[in-house]
Amino acid sequence: MTGQSLEDLSGANIEENVIRINVGGFKKRLLSNMLSRFPETRLARLLRCQSKDAILELCDDYDDADKEFYFDRNPALFPYVLNFYNTGRLHVMAELCIFSFSQEIEYWGINEFFIDSCCSNAYHCRIMEPNRNEWDDKSEEGSTASSFDEILEFYNDATKFDKQPLGSVRRRLWLMLDNPGYSIPSRIISVFSILVVLGSIVTMCMNSMAEFVLLDSDGQPLEDPRFEIVELFGIGWFTFELLARIAVAPDLIQFFKHPLNLIDLVSILPFYLTLVINLVAESSPALANLGRVAQVLRLMRIFRILKLARHSTGLRSLGATLKNSYKEVGLLLLYLAVGVSFFSVMAYTVEKEDNDDLTTIPACWWWATVSMTTVGYGDVVPVSVAGKLTASACILAGILVVVLPITLIFNKFSLFYKRQKQLEVAMRSCDFDEDIKEVPSVNLRNYYAHKVKSLMASLSNMSRSSPSEHSLTESLH
């Protein structure tokens, strides 16, 4: 170290210009004029301190007798700091932890732009690499944390039966009814429920076909007895299933807060409401119009198909995705609204003279919506050359508008599907045949590792954006 090593220097003047530092046991004597070349660094600021309190704000301890400054830092990284004071440049070795190095130079008040060109590209690539995988890290963390929380909720519900009458029997029935795939009986019930749901939907569809419509002597449509038997059987099974779940539920309040249980309730309500309305309409001729309400309620039987979500991991994942993707869905609708508004006005401007179907902007909204979503019914089409060019631009813009948010939504769907699978596997591994003694198996190491990783990344980002960098940059300019 040319002109900077103190081992060969002596004399009173030299000693007056020397400061002694101790970094985690690594002791060194440094010349003050060497430190003063970089006035915003921590060691240079020590030279300007006028009191012990000011000194202790910059170091961890100070020995008045030996005039030694102590720093509780990693001594293995301090040689890189010394090399910086000697050469004015920083060098980063490949074996170093890049985040530890970044935090260390931030502590000593050295900015990243002092990194030499030979190391700069590799350094910044390594710094930016975690950001490229940020979505995967957050997805994995969210998957682990959410699955862990849901498993604990499932476990807590199961423990509530210990203090209830016939708790062991009710817990077995609860697991069998509420967790398809938990055991062979629960799989049988699940398959049977799926067949009943599908049979009910098929019956409703066939009942609307002219080939299966029966007429009375007055020409009024009648219910086909075969379809009516299937409908009554389905309603009976759905009602029994819901009442059984209510009977063995560990917590009724939480039971009715669950979306799948609300779907079960909505799937049978139209039948009973229709029954009541028909009885009221028959008893009071003045309320004959209520029959139309009953017809509307009959159409609500289609909601029974949502009962399949209880038995389908994909449907449950889709519901969770839509629930947690409201921002992306809102973004998609915003893009579509802007595009529809723009292209509808364009189509109205170029087509209003030649096309009777596009003579108003509201009529053009329908055309633009169908075109941007690439549906293309063909009921309304432009006829002029300018209109066709506008339609081409509308279709291309629609493809771009739809694709951008869909990617984000798909990533979330993959996350929730993976989480749901993890949850199902964990639930099936639980054994409640005897008293519950321990929480179901969960990889706590991964769970807390992701939490600590997230915390360290946040602290690293905070340190890289601290005010000292800004002040150092200003001083050099």
Side-chain angles (χ1 to χ4, degrees), residues 117-170:
S117 58
C118 59
C119 301
S120 179
N121 290 337
Y123 172 83
H124 287 99
C125 285
R126 292 173 64 186
I127 284 288
M128 294 301 296
E129 185 176 356
N131 294 332
R132 298 192 194 104
N133 300 324
E134 183 178 0
W135 166 255
D136 293 334
D137 292 341
K138 289 184 177 180
S139 297
E140 183 67 24
E141 178 185 356
S143 176
T144 305
S146 299
S147 296
F148 180 77
D149 295 338
E150 291 185 20
I151 293 171
L152 285 184
E153 183 180 356
F154 168 76
Y155 171 77
N156 290 332
D157 287 341
T159 57
K160 292 178 182 179
F161 290 101
D162 293 335
K163 299 179 181 179
Q164 297 178 0
L166 301 175
S168 179
V169 175
R170 292 181 62 199

Side-chain angles (χ1 to χ4, degrees), residues 455-470:
L455 176 61
M456 293 301 294
S458 300
L459 293 175
S460 178
N461 291 335
M462 291 172 60
S463 67
R464 288 199 298 270
S465 59
S466 61
S468 63
E469 291 186 1
H470 181 65

Side-chain angles (χ1 to χ4, degrees), residues 29-188:
R29 300 164 67 201
L30 302 175
L31 291 175
S32 58
N33 59 355
M34 179 181 69
L35 304 179
S36 300
R37 294 166 52 201
F38 308 97
E40 289 299 320
T41 59
R42 184 176 291 265
L43 294 179
R45 289 160 58 194
L46 280 175
L47 302 176
R48 302 194 296 269
C49 292
Q50 302 296 324
S51 65
K52 187 173 182 179
D53 292 337
I55 291 174
L56 292 177
E57 289 181 1
L58 298 174
C59 64
D60 296 297
D61 200 3
Y62 176 64
D63 187 350
D64 286 323
D66 295 334
K67 305 294 183 181
E68 185 178 73
F69 303 93
Y70 177 74
F71 297 89
D72 188 13
R73 304 296 297 181
N74 185 356
L77 294 176
F78 189 66
Y80 295 93
V81 178
L82 288 179
N83 185 62
F84 163 74
Y85 281 112
N86 285 314
T87 64
R89 308 303 296 172
L90 280 171
H91 292 272
V92 187
M93 305 303 292
E95 65 272 11
L96 287 179
C97 172
I98 204 65
F99 292 105
S100 296
F101 180 82
S102 177
Q103 293 172 1
E104 193 69 17
I105 63 174
E106 173 62 29
Y107 174 81
W108 295 107
I110 305 172
N111 201 286
E112 292 178 353
F113 64 71
F114 284 114
I115 298 176
D116 207 351
S117 58
C118 59
C119 301
S120 179
N121 290 337
Y123 172 83
H124 287 99
C125 285
R126 292 173 64 186
I127 284 288
M128 294 301 296
E129 185 176 356
N131 294 332
R132 298 192 194 104
N133 300 324
E134 183 178 0
W135 166 255
D136 293 334
D137 292 341
K138 289 184 177 180
S139 297
E140 183 67 24
E141 178 185 356
S143 176
T144 305
S146 299
S147 296
F148 180 77
D149 295 338
E150 291 185 20
I151 293 171
L152 285 184
E153 183 180 356
F154 168 76
Y155 171 77
N156 290 332
D157 287 341
T159 57
K160 292 178 182 179
F161 290 101
D162 293 335
K163 299 179 181 179
Q164 297 178 0
L166 301 175
S168 179
V169 175
R170 292 181 62 199
R171 179 161 53 216
R172 290 193 184 95
L173 292 174
W174 173 69
L175 291 170
M176 184 172 61
L177 293 173
D178 263 27
N179 298 279
Y182 180 77
S183 61
I184 293 178
S186 64
R187 290 190 182 98
I188 295 174

Side-chain angles (χ1 to χ4, degrees), residues 54 78 83 98 102 133 176 193 222 245 263 305 324 333 367:
F78 189 66
N83 185 62
I98 204 65
S102 177
N133 300 324
M176 184 172 61
S193 295
L222 293 174
R245 285 198 175 97
I263 290 174
I305 200 170
N324 292 274
L333 294 177
W367 167 84

